[in-house]
């Protein structure tokens, strides 16, 4: 019988073996793995068993016979979404420890961040996939009983591998999100935290209220938590959640200041305002990051606003006339 | 994997120039260098030690043998030697030891064996346990392991090939490895 500590170490060793075997672990993952190995000599001891298993399988006569995958099925068939949705409806019944400090911290890898206009997809140690938007930053902190990600800045879309024994948490500062397995988008900027769900169920917590979910979101649900104005709820087309991954930005009743912040993150284009009240102008808009000028032209048509481009490429926005 | 200032081939080919095995080595290098590095990378990560350093050490050891032609399975020799190099390096980093390795086995001992990788990596009893457990895995688990370990597919490529979801491929791998590890642990306790 293994002690809880040994069982946890065993689980981590297996997680790393599965992640390495994916052939898709990124540099941050490799660094985290090395940090974990070096943390305690027992970690290497636990991992060696899995390394030996992986290498042994390469020469397994029994395994070599299993070389007939089923006929190809389109990956995006309806059943896939249905199965994922069904799996992700399994919601943990009891509240787990929500907060990120634990008694036995695992190796903490360095933050993963993207540059302006960069969109990067990465596989997390459990196989969940995170897509980061422009100028976004996350930290991961995986433990035997919980998978934790902190969104420090920007946009992140998560496709979470279901694992009801290890809930997946996203800490976005003023709110913590808990899921078992689902797809959702979280954004964090200076004004708000936004959460939208594409598949499955997402529970949202207020860290100050401990383990009582304040919101439960289903596909198409979106909430925006403004630091000053509280929570607003809206609905979106589930398929449109996370469309920034394809370079598409959508805003509903957002300030031009917020939109400018997003444009800067996705296009390296800076918007400058002639007066602060212009930044507060509320707009509903949807446009591709490659087509900012079209958005600005539409803005000129609908609002008393004019724009021009400075020598350094910045866009200057002023009142028309 | 970091780039090297000169190719591994150029660093060890002089060892072969004095022998009549240069052609054998050259073919082995061309056939297996890339695959060896990839396999090490997918088992032990980027290092340190760098998988290329481990592969290079293995080729150097192979080249330094009195008669490399005596090695019946050069690929197994290289894999085992590279693997031991990595584990020796990692152990020296944190002073660990393990029952699952053969770091003390010398190339001279390896060369005369009729090697297969698994026979060297695990003991005979452990190897039998692995084969027994593999036989009990679900067909999906076998296919996932076959494609990832034997054919070298990434999980994304397995998804594309089979239509299974990424999470499913990941989970099936984890379940299968857990079964194998538990069986090895039980086997160890019963000895």
């Amino acid at each position: 019988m293994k002690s809880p500590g040994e069982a946890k170490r065993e689980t981590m060793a297996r997680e790393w073996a599965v992640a390495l075997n994916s052939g898709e672990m990124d540099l941050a993952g490799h660094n985290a793995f090395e940090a974990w190995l070096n943390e305690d000599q027992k970690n290497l001891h636990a991992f060696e068993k899995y390394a030996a298993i992986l290498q042994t399988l390469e020469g397994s006569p029994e395994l070599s016979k299993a070389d007939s995958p089923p006929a190809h099925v389109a990956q995006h068939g309806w059943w896939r979404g249905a199965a994922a949705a069904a799996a992700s409806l399994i919601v943990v019944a009891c509240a787990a420890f929500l907060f990120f400090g634990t008694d036995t911290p695992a190796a903490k890898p360095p933050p993963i961040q993207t540059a302006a206009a960069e969109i990067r997809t990465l596989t997390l140690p459990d196989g969940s996939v995170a897509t980061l938007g422009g100028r976004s930053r996350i930290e991961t902190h995986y433990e035997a009983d919980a998978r934790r990600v902190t969104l420090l800045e920007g946009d992140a879309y998560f496709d979470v591998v279901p694992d009801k024994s290890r809930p997946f948490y996203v800490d976005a500062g003023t709110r913590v999100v808990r899921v078992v397995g689902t797809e959702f988008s979280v954004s964090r900027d200076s004004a708000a935290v936004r959460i939208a769900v594409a598949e499955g169920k997402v529970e949202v917590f207020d860290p100050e209220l401990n383990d009582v979910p304040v919101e439960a979101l289903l596909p198409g649900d979106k909430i925006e938590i403004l630091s000053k104005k509280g929570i607003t709820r809206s609905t979106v087309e589930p398929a449109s959640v996370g469309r920034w991954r394809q370079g598409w930005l959508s805003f509903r009743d957002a300030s031009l200041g917020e939109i400018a912040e997003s444009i800067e993150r996705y296009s390296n284009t800076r918007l400058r305002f002639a007066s602060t009240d212009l930044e507060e102008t509320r707009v509903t808009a949807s446009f591709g990051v490659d087509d900012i000028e079209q958005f600005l032209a539409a803005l000129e048509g609908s609002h008393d606003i004019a724009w021009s481009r400075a020598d350094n490429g910045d866009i200057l926005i002023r009142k028309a006339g | 994997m970091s780039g090297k200032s000169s190719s591994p081939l150029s660093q060890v080919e002089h060892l072969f120039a004095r022998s009549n095995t240069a052609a054998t080595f050259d073919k082995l290098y061309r056939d297996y260098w890339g695959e060896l590095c990839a396999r090490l990378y997918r088992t032990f990560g980027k290092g340190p030690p760098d998988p290329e350093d481990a592969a290079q050490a293995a080729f150097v050891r192979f080249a330094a043998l009195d008669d490399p032609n005596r090695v019946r399975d050069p690929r197994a020799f290289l894999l085992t030697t590279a693997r031991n190099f990595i584990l020796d390096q990692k152990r020296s980093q944190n002073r660990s030891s393990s029952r699952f390795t053969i770091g003390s086995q010398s190339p001279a001992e390896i060369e005369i064996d009729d090697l297969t990788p698994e026979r060297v990596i695990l003991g005979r009893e452990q190897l039998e346990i692995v084969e027994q457990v593999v036989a009990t895995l679900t067909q999906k688990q076998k296919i996932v392991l076959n494609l990832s370990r034997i054919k070298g597919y990434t999980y994304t490529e397995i998804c594309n090939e089979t239509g299974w979801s990424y999470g499913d491929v990941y989970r099936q791998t984890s379940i299968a490895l857990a079964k194998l590890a538990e069986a090895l642990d039980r086997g160890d306790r019963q000895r």
Side-chain angles (χ1 to χ4, degrees), chain A residues 127-201:
Chain A
S128 297
V129 176
T131 304
L132 300 188
R135 203 181 295 160
S136 300
R137 201 154 44 101
I138 62 168
E139 285 179 347
T140 60
H141 189 84
Y142 273 51
E143 298 160 5
D145 55 359
R147 303 167 283 174
R148 303 180 191 278
V149 175
T150 302
L151 175 62
L152 299 162
E153 177 187 17
D155 299 322
Y157 185 97
F158 298 97
D159 181 356
V160 178
V161 173
D163 183 351
K164 60 182 176 182
S165 67
R166 295 176 78 204
F168 188 99
Y169 298 98
V170 179
D171 180 354
T174 58
R175 289 295 183 277
V176 175
V177 166
R178 178 175 70 185
V179 302
V180 174
T182 182
E183 289 189 37
F184 62 104
S185 175
V186 183
S187 300
R188 177 179 182 180
D189 60 27
S190 55
V193 170
R194 300 175 190 85
I195 302 161
V197 181
E199 280 187 11
K201 182 175 178 178

Side-chain angles (χ1 to χ4, degrees), chain A residues 238-285:
Chain A
S240 72
V241 173
R243 281 196 67 195
W244 50 263
R245 292 173 298 161
Q246 289 86 41
W248 193 261
L249 304 180
S250 297
F251 303 90
R252 180 180 295 186
D253 192 29
S255 73
L256 280 181
E258 292 166 38
I259 294 174
E261 199 173 328
S262 285
I263 288 174
E264 267 188 49
R265 285 200 284 116
Y266 284 95
S267 70
N268 262 330
T269 302
R270 200 153 68 103
L271 270 65
R272 285 161 45 195
F273 296 90
S275 60
T276 51
D277 59 324
L278 278 170
E279 286 186 54
E280 296 301 320
T281 305
R282 310 299 292 186
V283 171
T284 294

Side-chain angles (χ1 to χ4, degrees), chain A residues 45 48-49, chain B residues 97-102 121 126 184-185 188:
Chain A
H45 188 89
E48 282 182 9
K49 176 172 62 182
Chain B
S97 63
S98 169
R99 66 194 188 284
F100 289 103
T101 59
I102 54 149
I121 290 162
Q126 291 173 315
L184 285 176
D185 285 346
D188 263 23

Side-chain angles (χ1 to χ4, degrees), chain A residues 2 6 10 42 44-50 52-53, chain B residues 83 87 91 96-104 120-124 126 180-191:
Chain A
K2 286 189 168 73
E6 286 173 330
E10 178 84 11
K42 291 176 184 168
L44 175 59
H45 188 89
F47 177 75
E48 282 182 9
K49 176 172 62 182
Y50 286 98
I53 290 171
Chain B
R83 167 202 160 76
L87 290 175
R91 271 190 229 116
S96 176
S97 63
S98 169
R99 66 194 188 284
F100 289 103
T101 59
I102 54 149
S104 60
V120 176
I121 290 162
L122 292 177
R124 187 175 297 277
Q126 291 173 315
L180 288 157
E182 283 167 17
L184 285 176
D185 285 346
R186 278 198 306 274
D188 263 23
R189 282 196 294 272
Q190 286 164 7
R191 268 197 251 168

